[in-house]
Amino acid sequence: MLAELNPAQREAVLCLHGPLLVLAGAGTGKTRVVTYRIAHLIKQGVPPAAILGVTFTNKAAREMQQRARTLVGRAGEQPEISTFHSLCVRILRRQIHHLGYPPSFAIYDRADQQSLAREVLREIKCPQAMLTPEALTSMIGRWKSLGITPQQAAARAVEDRQHAASAAYARYQRAMKLAGAVDFDDLLLLVVELFATRPEVRRCEAARYYHILVDEYQDTNPLQYQIVRALAAEHRNLCVVGDDDQSIYAFRGAEVTHILRFTQDWPEARVVRLEQNYRSTQAILDLANRLIVHNRRRHPKTLRAVRSAGVAPRLRVFESGEQEAAAVVSEMAARIFSRSAQPCDFAVLFRTNEQPRLFEQQLRRQRLPYVVVGAQSFFDRKEVRDVTAYLRVLVNPRDETALRRIISVPPRGIGARTLEALSDRAVAARQPLWEVLQAYAAQEGGEAAREAVRSFCDLIVRYRQRVQQQPPTAVVVELLSELRYEQHLERLYPQPLERQARWNSVQELIEALAAYEQQAERPSLAAIVDELALQQRDFQPNQGCESSANAVVLMTLHSAKGLEFPIVYMVGMEEGLLPHRHAVHAEGTAIDEERRLCYVGITRAQNELLLTMARTRPRGGKAVRTQPSRFLLELGFYVPMDDVEAENPSRHPGHAARPARRGTP
Ligand code: ATP
Ligand code: MG
């Protein structure tokens, strides 16, 4: 195993005790170091369960798990490998009762948060014109990330809107607690709160692990930073790896200073630098190096390729976004049909979520398999949300957003007025809606509404018992058939194609559940529901050819971090897209972060890199001229600007340009 590492990597893997920082550029094998280190620790006799690996992507997590498995066998104890959010879920499942929440708490995603926010604003009779649910949830998110309580928010409020928002915040938190629910911001926040107020809980959680390894450390936010410190404080066996040039989550509160001051926090830390890039050709790295020197505050490093020079990266300029998408996809199609490449060799990287649509259309037209990563579209589908809501209620019937969602899906005779009356009763009595429903059902009387509530409560109670005894996926399949959910979709969507597509997503969800159930040690519906909630946030489908899906990957630059692809297309290289228009108009270091994002994109490419831009994009129904991205100029590309001039040969779409010689940036 050690033979597969270079001397610097080996040093990092072999150093078994104390804090360790690996600060190195893209593709130099940082993630490999983490993976091999975990394997090596296990080989040296460290109990796998005492090892905690925190990774950013499921792909890295899977790789680490596989390596560990080959060492300890499938049956043995496994190291704990997860993202920050799932780590926090596990800690809270064990400890949240100290904070007055039930251990079976539900996790609310953005859509749930918004429907709760809407409910709360209705209760305090706040008009939409003053505060929308979206605005409220983002204010609450900001308060939470700064550790501001509803009381503090109220004390600081000046304008009416702020008063309304802080009142809504207080109600929101109360409703969340009543529903036994937390949101994503709470996950980290509650762990920090728990560790700060309950030293014995912190010690108990810290004592579970004897080694902690964190990948992509440059993107930790202050809460994550505190959690890592709290867990490693005693044993100090903390290995972090990262690259300050790839810090791209400042907008979510990540602070690159955490990695830069690691040696101050942990004075005895050993620092290892990795110099050789194993991923990309030298031509690609030259481009990356040329770009990143434009950032001022950074640790200087230059990427050197182990591989040969390779094919020079190209720029192609198109007349419109449609032409850009059509040309990129036909190029891919030609190579796939001639068998010189397969679909999963290609990744199309873009900056904003609006960009993939045109590419998806073209891919469908050419019948090429593809996956869109990070677009959340799967989890936003109505039918997927319906079924997920059923699962959530089976785990925790106090989960009010989920309960409201399913109570009339499919329709079962519980009218809007009955529901309204019952929820007012719940708010007044400060009781969970579920309890109010049950009490209502238990009372005498055979009117239609009561009968309907009775049979609903009975259904939930029955299936709650069953999922505790039987494999969850099978129970869910039966539940859907008892609900006649497929027939429900047929009524909603008379159009056969659409109906089929809807039912297919339900099947896809069930397959995902089954797959999860097979690989989990102790499959429970609760664990599955957690997994689903977390996936919505950091959704990474199975990437690469190892998975059954041999598909072209469409993903945002943010979600491409840590991954690699033989052929990368970076599309939409225009001012306003990359750099994003928010950054163009912002002050400070926003452009530097966009540049790092561009750097992340370039360094994903192993063999070939193609950058593209469109000369026009539609805005307000008209095609508007674009400006080439400033990064293209920094990269030294000559961008043919004006194709209106007849003599300019570049007017033909798809004119290829190569980087100009180094020198004048
Ligand atoms: P990023 O900064 O993008 O996260 P990284 O530093 O984590 O990159 P890895 O993903 O670990 O880099 O490695 C990049 C590629 O180089 C991988 O395909 C990895 O398997 C390969 N690699 C790393 N080290 C070696 C080595 N010593 N010998 C051969 N291949 C290596
Ligand atoms: Mg990595």
Side-chain angles (χ1 to χ4, degrees):
M1 185 183 82
L2 293 174
E4 294 165 19
L5 300 171
N6 66 34
Q9 291 174 328
R10 212 171 300 142
E11 182 193 341
V13 166
L14 291 178
C15 141
L16 287 183
H17 291 284
L20 169 70
L21 164 67
V22 179
L23 183 62
T28 52
K30 297 182 296 299
T31 302
R32 177 176 279 220
V33 163
V34 172
T35 310
Y36 281 57
R37 208 174 128 86
I38 289 178
H40 184 68
L41 287 170
I42 294 173
K43 232 184 200 153
Q44 294 298 305
V46 177
I51 301 173
L52 170 66
V54 181
T55 68
F56 217 79
T57 63
N58 291 344
K59 181 173 191 263
R62 256 202 321 278
E63 246 176 63
M64 289 176 201
Q65 246 138 11
Q66 263 160 20
R67 268 193 188 276
R69 230 167 246 161
T70 56
L71 284 173
V72 297
R74 209 181 185 289
E77 277 190 329
Q78 303 296 326
E80 224 176 282
I81 292 165
S82 64
T83 59
F84 272 109
H85 283 92
S86 45
L87 169 67
C88 289
V89 171
R90 279 201 304 276
I91 295 177
L92 292 176
R93 290 264 175 248
R94 294 190 285 261
Q95 309 286 1
I96 203 167
H97 59 277
H98 291 291
L99 297 174
Y101 287 82
S104 62
F105 63 87
I107 304 168
Y108 277 12
D109 67 13
R110 269 215 96 63
D112 300 327
Q113 284 179 283
Q114 255 155 45
S115 79
L116 178 57
R118 190 167 303 118
E119 195 63 27
V120 164
L121 290 172
R122 185 180 71 86
E123 280 168 31
I124 63 166
K125 307 204 162 45
C126 171
Q128 281 264 343
M130 186 184 304
L131 203 57
T132 60
E134 293 75 26
L136 177 62
T137 46
S138 76
M139 285 170 88
I140 291 176
R142 221 169 20 249
W143 278 323
K144 285 187 178 174
S145 68
L146 297 170
I148 295 175
T149 63
Q151 293 74 25
Q152 290 165 334
R156 290 173 195 201
V158 181
E159 297 156 25
D160 284 356
R161 183 169 190 266
Q162 293 164 333
H163 278 290
S166 65
Y169 178 22
R171 270 191 178 250
Y172 174 95
Q173 277 310 82
R174 204 166 334 117
M176 290 285 278
K177 213 158 181 175
L178 203 58
V182 304
D183 59 28
F184 277 115
D185 302 307
D186 286 332
L187 289 175
L188 302 173
L189 197 62
L190 291 177
V191 169
V192 169
E193 187 183 327
L194 196 59
F195 285 176
T197 55
R198 299 274 176 159
E200 77 287 0
V201 171
R202 183 195 66 77
R203 272 194 300 274
C204 160
E205 288 299 318
R208 302 179 78 89
Y209 312 109
Y210 191 59
H211 276 275
I212 299 180
L213 302 93
V214 186
D215 197 0
E216 309 276 3
Y217 192 69
Q218 77 279 355
D219 280 321
T220 50
N221 70 24
L223 297 174
Q224 294 165 336
Y225 171 79
Q226 288 178 52
I227 292 169
V228 169
R229 283 181 58 137
L231 288 176
E234 277 89 28
H235 55 69
R236 304 180 77 80
N237 293 324
L238 172 63
C239 162
V240 308
V241 314
D243 176 6
D244 52 321
D245 286 336
Q246 295 184 68
S247 156
I248 54 175
Y249 278 99
F251 74 95
R252 263 197 214 159
E255 286 177 18
V256 69
T257 48
H258 294 149
I259 197 163
L260 299 179
R261 70 164 189 243
F262 187 80
T263 48
Q264 279 146 271
D265 293 339
W266 309 87
E268 78 275 34
R270 200 194 285 216
V271 180
V272 173
R273 288 175 185 277
L274 308 174
E275 315 255 82
Q276 287 158 314
N277 174 299
Y278 289 87
R279 176 180 296 147
S280 315
T281 62
Q282 187 63 48
I284 291 168
L285 296 184
D286 285 344
L287 215 58
N289 288 329
R290 198 180 297 174
L291 179 74
I292 202 67
V293 291
H294 290 270
N295 272 11
R296 277 145 302 173
R297 284 187 44 217
R298 61 183 287 264
H299 275 242
K301 10 182 167 43
T302 303
L303 295 176
R304 275 189 287 111
V306 172
R307 305 180 48 192
S308 60
V311 190
R314 290 171 302 149
L315 167 71
R316 290 183 73 183
V317 182
F318 300 95
E319 206 38 54
S320 66
E322 279 79 10
Q323 289 185 3
E324 178 189 41
V328 165
V329 173
S330 12
E331 191 174 297
M332 293 194 291
R335 296 178 65 173
I336 291 165
F337 294 137
S338 72
R339 300 192 180 269
S340 62
Q342 43 176 338
C344 67
D345 289 339
F346 296 98
V348 180
L349 305 183
F350 42 82
R351 174 69 179 89
T352 70
N353 275 322
E354 297 86 67
Q355 285 169 276
R357 193 181 47 86
L358 292 173
F359 291 89
E360 280 190 76
Q361 279 170 2
Q362 292 296 334
L363 285 159
R364 255 185 254 136
R365 191 165 301 161
Q366 302 266 8
R367 295 179 192 285
L368 294 183
Y370 70 90
V371 284
V372 188
V373 180
Q376 294 201 353
S377 54
F378 179 70
F379 292 101
D380 283 338
R381 290 179 207 163
K382 178 186 159 0
E383 57 284 2
V384 173
R385 296 198 72 90
D386 283 351
V387 177
T388 318
Y390 267 100
L391 307 186
R392 285 166 45 177
V393 170
L394 293 185
V395 171
N396 172 18
R398 285 169 61 182
D399 183 338
E400 192 153 329
T401 326
L403 188 61
R404 281 174 183 284
R405 178 163 195 109
I406 61 167
I407 199 160
S408 294
V409 171
R412 48 171 64 90
I414 304 179
R417 214 166 312 133
T418 311
L419 187 58
E420 189 105 328
L422 290 172
S423 31
D424 284 346
R425 204 180 288 180
V427 171
R430 296 202 175 177
Q431 255 189 328
L433 179 61
W434 170 243
E435 286 173 19
V436 172
L437 286 176
Q438 281 187 307
Y440 176 72
Q443 282 159 10
E444 303 257 315
E447 38 316 11
R450 200 183 301 276
E451 283 298 338
V453 172
R454 241 176 235 157
S455 93
F456 174 72
C457 290
D458 166 67
L459 176 92
I460 298 300
V461 170
R462 237 179 332 116
Y463 276 89
R464 259 170 75 71
Q465 278 161 358
R466 293 190 53 186
V467 285
Q468 273 144 31
Q469 292 145 4
Q470 294 163 350
T473 312
V475 178
V476 171
V477 170
E478 277 184 46
L479 171 65
L480 291 179
S481 106
E482 177 166 344
L483 291 172
R484 302 178 54 81
Y485 190 75
E486 189 175 3
Q487 289 78 356
H488 169 63
L489 290 180
E490 279 170 21
R491 276 191 302 274
L492 279 184
Y493 307 105
Q495 234 254 333
L497 274 181
E498 168 147 35
R499 178 199 308 166
Q500 192 55 45
R502 302 272 172 179
W503 182 242
N504 283 349
S505 353
V506 175
Q507 297 298 325
E508 231 175 284
L509 181 64
I510 289 172
E511 271 161 36
L513 298 186
Y516 178 77
E517 191 175 310
Q518 273 203 332
Q519 54 134 59
E521 275 167 54
R522 273 174 255 101
S524 71
L525 189 62
I528 291 177
V529 166
D530 278 356
E531 186 75 9
L532 286 174
L534 292 166
Q535 279 198 8
Q536 290 175 53
R537 177 163 174 110
D538 314 305
F539 186 54
Q540 303 280 346
N542 303 326
Q543 269 130 21
C545 305
E546 48 170 346
S547 76
S548 54
N550 178 2
V552 174
V553 176
L554 304 184
M555 59 164 49
T556 60
L557 290 163
H558 280 103
S559 40
K561 193 170 65 140
L563 304 178
E564 55 191 18
F565 304 92
I567 306 164
V568 168
Y569 290 87
M570 286 179 67
V571 301
M573 293 296 296
E574 298 144 35
E575 286 290 299
L577 285 175
L578 184 66
H580 195 274
R581 59 176 185 282
H582 295 323
V584 173
H585 300 299
E587 318 234 299
T589 56
I591 291 290
D592 288 1
E593 176 141 325
E594 296 292 309
R595 193 178 283 111
R596 287 193 291 268
L597 207 44
C598 185
Y599 174 83
V600 166
I602 294 172
T603 54
R604 297 311 94 199
Q606 293 173 298
N607 306 332
E608 289 176 48
L609 174 67
L610 189 84
L611 301 106
T612 66
M613 65 166 282
R615 278 210 189 82
T616 64
R617 295 271 170 195
R619 199 183 309 141
K622 272 200 320 211
V624 175
R625 294 244 130 213
T626 61
Q627 293 283 325
S629 166
R630 68 189 72 189
F631 303 143
L632 288 177
L633 309 179
E634 292 173 4
L635 287 167
F637 281 105
Y638 161 70
V639 184
M641 273 294 291
D642 198 6
D643 66 345
V644 187
E645 310 287 287
E647 66 267 29
N648 192 330
S650 67
R651 79 205 298 239
H652 303 291
H655 172 83
R658 288 178 191 282
R661 299 184 140 240
R662 256 203 109 128
T664 46

